[in-house]
Amino acid sequence: MLRPLACLPLFGLLTVACLTPAEHLADADDEVLAIVAARRAELGEPGAFAIAPPADSLRSRVLAGERPPELLALTLADCQRIAAENSRSFQDRRESLYLAALDLTLQRYAFGYSWGAGGAAGISGDEDGASSLDASGLLSMQTVLGDGTDVVLDIGASFFENLASGDPSELIGDLGLTITRPLLGVASTEALYEPLTNAERAVVYEARRYERFRRTFAVDVYERYWRILQEHQVAENETQNVESLRLLAEKNRALGEAGRKAAIEVGESDRDELRAESRLVDAAGRLEGLYDDFKFFLGLPIDVEIALDRSDFDAAVEVGLEGLEGFDLTEGQTLDLALTRRMDLATTRDRLVDSQRSLRIAEEALGFDVGLTVTAGASGELDPGPEWDAGDASWDLGLTWDSTLDRLSERNAYRSALISRDASQRDLEEFEDQLRVDLRGNLRSLEEAYQNYAIQLASLENAERQVESTELNYEAGRIETRFVLDARADLLDARNSSVSALVNYNLARLDLFLDMELLDVDEDGLRLGEFPATLED
């Protein structure tokens, strides 16, 4: 008979916790999201992070047939949130960061205490029935110590009973211990922990890439948003131009019928009215196309109607040049900020450090490898009594070595590491040089945009005076219609150009702050960061 009490140790070894797939998923998320939160906090980004978009996202609500009222008054922050929820490239970046942290959990596990359990059981017999019963279980533990020592402990138990003969059952316990320690060669802590180090740094790099992407993505949303508002203003300017030219054409036709205007002047006003209407049709088409592209970018159905909040844009147009924030930093100060704050530059620098570390490890691998191995084991009957038969214990002590006669692969790895180190150095130098070029270009673009906006505002003021003067002279009969038409065309161009210059200035300013890593992105949208006090002084 099988003795239940005698088999309790065996059942203890075979019993393992069983988790459902959902529980495994939740366990992985808890561990990974904690790592991601820690890395992002180190970068000064304590915001929320989730691998999956919210279940009640605006896209899902719209596809379900809802038409939320916010669709007709989307702010810039709304558009950034919606785009982040639905963007495929944004989701790629989230998943890359998550997977890097997931890989790190495995490396941490490998360098911690790893446990394993398993077992087997079976019944055998013949035509007369069952003849024997056997079962076995194994519990193992493995860890790597700081000096590279690998420790493996195995605890096993096996049970056998002959059902046919009625012989007593046997419960045998086994204990095994293996210790392996490198003495020479790849024995440095740096080499031993290289997989864990790489995994840790990979998470840091992906966290930086994620935060940098959030900023560039927010600037992309901002540019699309303001370009649409610019085209809105252009369409309004075109509408006003059509209305004014229509009134002029109607007046000229009436004067022509009365014999007070020449047919050539009537024809000129009619042709300009038709050209203005054509321009308005083109502007409306461009605006509709921009909206379609923007809805696709936001991940919303193309046929859904949306409208953008124009309050900030209208306020900027209203205040004009006085509303532009100044920028007083020198080229050297902007470069210092970029060299200090740029996340992608920090990663490029760290990759040079990685290549230097890999080179040291490759050089170490060229040496002589010696390892020490110690094994010990024991087995004994656990039933019917707890006594252990010490005569079944054994141990072994041995040395392993690998000569330097065959080091072709290590030689090639070392040469490759040298090349990689030099390439990383060049990458860093190129990055810093390109950053200087970009900053100088952005500073010029910002200054040019400011000067152009000032020029366009002056041109607009001049065009408004010119229209007023020509219309007064036209009413007095001192000039022909052509002068009025030219003045109105100049006014339309000045209005459109001033709006374009304003948008260009804001985008140039954003690009400069992006290059200095001075943009803040959170649930409230995109904001320009503050200059460090040391630079302001």
Side-chain angles (χ1 to χ4, degrees), residues 315-445:
V317 172
E318 181 68 25
V319 297
L321 197 63
E322 296 179 357
L324 301 186
E325 299 181 17
F327 186 83
D328 301 326
L329 295 185
T330 66
E331 179 183 323
Q333 289 173 323
T334 58
L335 180 60
D336 289 342
L337 273 173
L339 293 176
T340 302
R341 299 177 62 91
R342 279 287 289 266
M343 296 185 186
D344 44 2
L345 175 57
T347 296
T348 305
R349 288 170 174 162
D350 286 345
R351 291 195 185 281
L352 174 59
V353 175
D354 290 342
S355 66
Q356 293 168 342
R357 186 181 65 255
S358 297
L359 178 59
R360 290 193 300 270
I361 294 173
E363 185 175 3
E364 184 179 282
L366 293 172
F368 192 66
D369 293 340
V370 178
L372 173 67
T373 301
V374 178
T375 60
S379 63
E381 187 175 353
L382 300 177
D383 184 48
E387 296 182 0
W388 190 272
D389 185 0
D392 291 338
S394 63
W395 59 270
D396 291 290
L397 177 64
L399 289 176
T400 61
W401 67 90
D402 185 11
S403 71
T404 58
L405 297 178
D406 183 8
R407 280 291 186 269
L408 182 62
S409 62
E410 289 79 1
R411 181 205 69 179
N412 290 353
Y414 174 66
R415 191 67 185 96
S416 177
L418 276 170
I419 294 174
S420 296
R421 190 273 313 273
D422 295 341
S424 297
Q425 181 66 51
R426 293 195 303 273
D427 288 344
L428 177 58
E429 294 170 355
E430 181 182 8
F431 195 110
E432 292 179 346
D433 289 343
Q434 185 62 54
L435 184 56
R436 290 182 176 89
V437 172
D438 292 343
L439 284 170
R440 287 171 60 87
N442 286 339
L443 284 170
R444 287 194 301 270
S445 296

Side-chain angles (χ1 to χ4, degrees), residues 43 93 206-218 341-344 431 435 511 513-519:
L43 298 174
R93 291 267 55 83
E206 284 297 336
R208 288 172 181 162
R209 289 182 65 189
Y210 177 73
E211 299 305 331
R212 179 70 183 169
F213 177 84
R214 290 177 64 236
R215 288 164 172 77
T216 56
F217 187 82
R341 299 177 62 91
R342 279 287 289 266
M343 296 185 186
D344 44 2
F431 195 110
L435 184 56
D511 286 340
F513 273 69
L514 177 63
D515 273 350
M516 293 187 297
E517 209 75 83
L518 269 178
L519 291 179

Side-chain angles (χ1 to χ4, degrees), residues 101 133 169 247 274:
L133 169 67
S169 60
L247 291 175
L274 293 174

Side-chain angles (χ1 to χ4, degrees), residues 58-59 61-63 65-68 71-72 74 291-292 295-296 298-307:
L58 183 61
R59 174 183 172 84
R61 291 159 57 197
V62 170
L63 290 176
E66 290 187 43
R67 290 298 182 265
L71 285 174
L72 299 179
L74 291 173
Y291 264 117
D292 284 348
K295 285 183 283 188
F296 177 79
L298 296 179
L300 296 176
I302 304 302
D303 58 348
V304 69
E305 182 181 358
I306 66 172

Side-chain angles (χ1 to χ4, degrees), residues 452-487:
N452 283 331
Y453 186 46
I455 292 171
Q456 294 303 328
L457 288 179
S459 177
L460 176 59
E461 184 179 354
N462 179 271
E464 290 173 341
R465 289 196 304 267
Q466 187 68 19
V467 167
E468 183 180 357
S469 174
T470 54
E471 288 185 344
L472 289 174
N473 284 291
Y474 171 79
E475 293 293 337
R478 289 192 290 267
I479 60 175
E480 297 178 352
T481 304
R482 181 76 265 159
F483 291 96
V484 178
L485 295 176
D486 290 343

Side-chain angles (χ1 to χ4, degrees), residues 69-75 78 225 306-309:
E70 59 264 32
L71 285 174
L72 299 179
L74 291 173
T75 65
D78 292 334
Y225 189 94
I306 66 172
L308 306 184
D309 180 10

Side-chain angles (χ1 to χ4, degrees), residues 72-78 225-226 229 232-233 236 307-319 502:
L72 299 179
L74 291 173
T75 65
L76 181 60
D78 292 334
Y225 189 94
W226 272 58
L229 297 183
H232 259 297
Q233 189 61 51
E236 290 183 4
L308 306 184
D309 180 10
R310 296 186 52 174
S311 55
D312 290 342
F313 180 86
D314 290 340
V317 172
E318 181 68 25
V319 297
L502 172 62

